[in-house]
Amino acid sequence: MKAGATLTIDAEPYEFEFSPASCALLIIDMQRDFLEPGGFGEMLGNDISQLRRTIEPNRKLLAAWRARGLPVLHTREGHRPDLGCLPPAKKIRGRGTATIGDRGPMGRILVRGETGHDIIPELYPLPNETVIDKPGKGAFYATDLHAVIQNRGIKQLIVTGVTTEVCVNTTVREANDRGYDCLVPEDCVGSYFPEFQEAGLNMIKAQGGIFGWVSHSRHILAALEQ
Ligand code: C5J
C-alpha cells in the first residue's frame, strides 16, 4: 500500500473508494458481557456463537490495520458507576430481574470499570488506540468521537463489532448524517438473531447505499495488499 493511495474495495451496492490515510477502523462494543460464555448476553438467553464468529475476522482486520499504522478506535457501551448517565427508561427496559447497574455474572452490568464491560482479550486496545465510552447505542451520542476523528482528519470509517442491528446500525446512521462514508464488513459484525443480521445489513446498503456500503473483510484485506 502506497502512502496517500486511494484503493478500491469490492462492496455493495457498488465499489468503495477509500483512502487508508483518512479511514479509521471503528470497532463497536466487542465487550466481554456481550460475547463471552457466562456474560450478560448469554445470561439473557442469547446465542453468543452468533457474535463469537466475528472475533477471528475482526482480529485479522485489526492486525492488518495495526501493521500499516492506520487509525483504530474502539467503543464500549456502559455507564458511570453512579449510573448518572443511565436514563431511567433504559434501566427498566426489559423488566429483567437483573438490569444495567445490577450485579451480573462479570461484575455490575454495563458499568465502566467492571470486568464484563471491558473489551475481549482477542481485540484488546493497544495503549495508543482511542477507546470511546458511550452511554447510548450510537457512538456519537454523548461522546467526543466526532471531535476525535475530525481532529485526526478522518473522513471514512470501517465499522465492525456488535450488534449489527443495534449499536453498529445506530452508529453508521449517526456517522452518515455527519458526512462520513461507512463500510461494514459483514463477517466482522454480528447479531444474536440471524434475521436481524440480514436485515441490518440490507438496511445499510439499500437504495444505493442509503447509510453506507457492505463488504467482506477479505475484500478489505485484498485492497490493503495492493
Ligand atoms: C446492545 C449493542 N445490543 N452493542 N448493544 O444492547 O448493540
Side-chain angles (χ1 to χ4, degrees):
M1 186 190 84
K2 295 196 191 78
T6 300
L7 305 173
T8 302
I9 298 178
D10 198 2
E12 292 180 277
Y14 52 86
E15 314 78 48
F16 183 75
E17 303 288 341
F18 97 124
S19 310
S22 54
C23 184
L25 178 62
L26 178 62
I27 306 177
I28 304 290
D29 300 357
M30 292 294 278
Q31 291 163 254
R32 300 183 67 169
D33 250 337
F34 293 132
L35 286 119
E36 291 202 337
F40 179 51
E42 193 175 61
M43 189 184 100
L44 294 176
N46 293 306
D47 174 8
I48 56 166
S49 70
Q50 298 289 341
L51 305 196
R52 293 192 63 79
R53 61 162 187 79
T54 69
I55 296 174
E56 189 52 19
N58 264 295
R59 201 190 56 72
K60 286 192 181 135
L61 191 57
L62 178 59
W65 223 255
R66 284 174 172 164
R68 288 160 180 83
L70 300 174
V72 177
L73 301 105
H74 307 256
T75 71
R76 298 184 292 207
E77 179 179 354
H79 298 274
R80 302 157 59 105
D82 65 6
L83 305 184
C85 59
L86 175 63
K90 186 175 178 185
K91 166 76 180 160
I92 60 170
R93 194 74 49 80
R95 295 180 170 175
T97 45
T99 61
I100 297 171
D102 295 339
R103 200 138 294 281
M106 293 189 188
R108 291 179 70 202
I109 297 163
L110 295 190
V111 168
R112 296 173 191 165
E114 300 287 338
T115 303
H117 171 263
D118 211 354
I119 292 173
I120 56 170
E122 295 90 330
L123 303 175
Y124 208 76
L126 295 178
N128 66 333
E129 292 171 355
T130 304
V131 179
I132 302 284
D133 279 317
K134 62 186 186 62
K137 304 305 183 196
F140 289 85
Y141 170 67
T143 72
D144 58 3
L145 175 61
H146 197 208
V148 169
I149 58 181
Q150 288 270 300
N151 292 339
R152 295 177 70 178
I154 290 163
K155 298 184 170 55
Q156 298 181 308
L157 299 168
I158 307 278
V159 186
T160 74
V162 301
T163 64
T164 309
E165 78 280 17
V166 184
C167 292
V168 172
N169 237 275
T170 307
T171 298
V172 167
R173 289 166 188 235
E174 288 182 328
N176 180 64
D177 279 347
R178 287 166 177 76
Y180 298 100
D181 286 337
C182 292
L183 176 75
V184 178
E186 61 188 10
D187 55 322
C188 294
V189 295
S191 168
Y192 295 121
F193 310 100
E195 65 274 29
F196 292 165
Q197 169 79 359
E198 193 182 347
L201 293 169
N202 284 341
M203 279 190 254
I204 291 168
K205 67 187 177 188
Q207 301 183 67
I210 194 148
F211 297 123
W213 286 256
V214 174
S215 184
H216 191 283
S217 65
R218 70 172 175 275
H219 298 312
I220 303 172
L221 295 172
L224 288 173
E225 292 298 327
Q226 283 170 31

